[in-house]
Amino acid sequence: MTVRPIRMFDDPVLRSVAAPVQDFDRELRRLVKSLTATMRAGSGRAGLAAPQIGEAARVVVYSYDGKSGHLVNPRLELSARRVTADEACLSAPGLWWPLERSYMVTARGRDMFGKPVTVRALGVLARVLQHEIDHLDGVLFSDHLEAAERERFLAEALTAG
């Protein structure tokens, strides 16, 4: 399947709320396969959301520590326990930033054929799912930073880009 270019953090498509998937058809299966191929095309890639390749659909793929898959129209249930760890984004390459997230999540959605899927994750995979599902709502991980940290991040992102 086609490896697609990843949109950078200042691309307006990353600020749009992705539309729910209505049709579980061949086009959706192509999108999931392209997302997966694009995610796997580089080292250290653990997740990717459809808006990052310019598609305004509520679809994410993930692969971390032997667990991989995709979610269509995902919803998250977050644990109360939170942890801070470094986080990065393929749309802002080379920048890692400490960010607090829920340690454990339950993600519910559908697969590319419309069948219900539930993913229970903790640690890094939970972080990946939260990060990718944020992309579906037009939220970048830098949006979660305190104002001063966000300014530092944006300054570094602009210099790196």
Side-chain angles (χ1 to χ4, degrees):
M1 206 26 71
T2 307
V3 172
R4 310 239 319 247
I6 295 174
R7 304 292 180 99
M8 292 301 104
F9 82 99
D10 55 352
D11 190 312
V13 74
L14 295 177
R15 290 302 188 173
S16 301
V17 175
V21 172
Q22 303 294 325
D23 299 320
F24 291 79
D25 57 9
R26 182 176 286 151
E27 281 304 309
L28 175 62
R29 290 187 288 283
R30 257 191 219 120
L31 173 59
V32 169
K33 289 175 184 175
S34 283
L35 275 168
T36 302
T38 303
M39 176 185 63
R40 291 183 175 156
S43 64
R45 296 179 174 184
L48 191 64
Q52 290 180 278
I53 62 168
E55 298 287 340
R58 296 190 74 77
V59 180
V60 300
V61 296
Y62 61 90
S63 181
Y64 182 77
D65 201 24
K67 291 186 179 183
S68 62
H70 66 278
L71 288 162
V72 179
N73 298 333
R75 299 171 319 282
L76 279 180
E77 297 166 19
L78 305 173
S79 70
R81 180 178 172 200
R82 298 180 63 83
V83 294
T84 299
D86 283 347
E87 192 164 318
C89 181
L90 297 175
S91 294
L95 296 179
W96 290 81
W97 228 266
L99 183 63
E100 184 180 80
R101 295 247 191 211
S102 289
Y103 178 70
M104 191 171 17
V105 301
T106 301
R108 299 180 197 282
R110 304 253 172 210
D111 71 8
M112 67 177 114
F113 302 102
K115 294 180 184 165
V117 175
T118 300
V119 179
R120 288 179 180 79
L122 51 91
V124 174
L125 184 55
R127 179 173 295 277
V128 168
L129 292 171
Q130 290 169 82
H131 179 107
E132 300 310 332
I133 292 169
D134 270 356
H135 275 299
L136 303 181
D137 294 321
V139 175
L140 300 177
F141 85 96
S142 56
D143 296 340
H144 294 290
L145 300 173
E146 300 277 333
E149 284 298 299
R150 189 177 317 111
E151 290 302 318
R152 280 189 47 226
F153 169 84
L154 291 173
E156 285 194 36
L158 289 171
T159 343

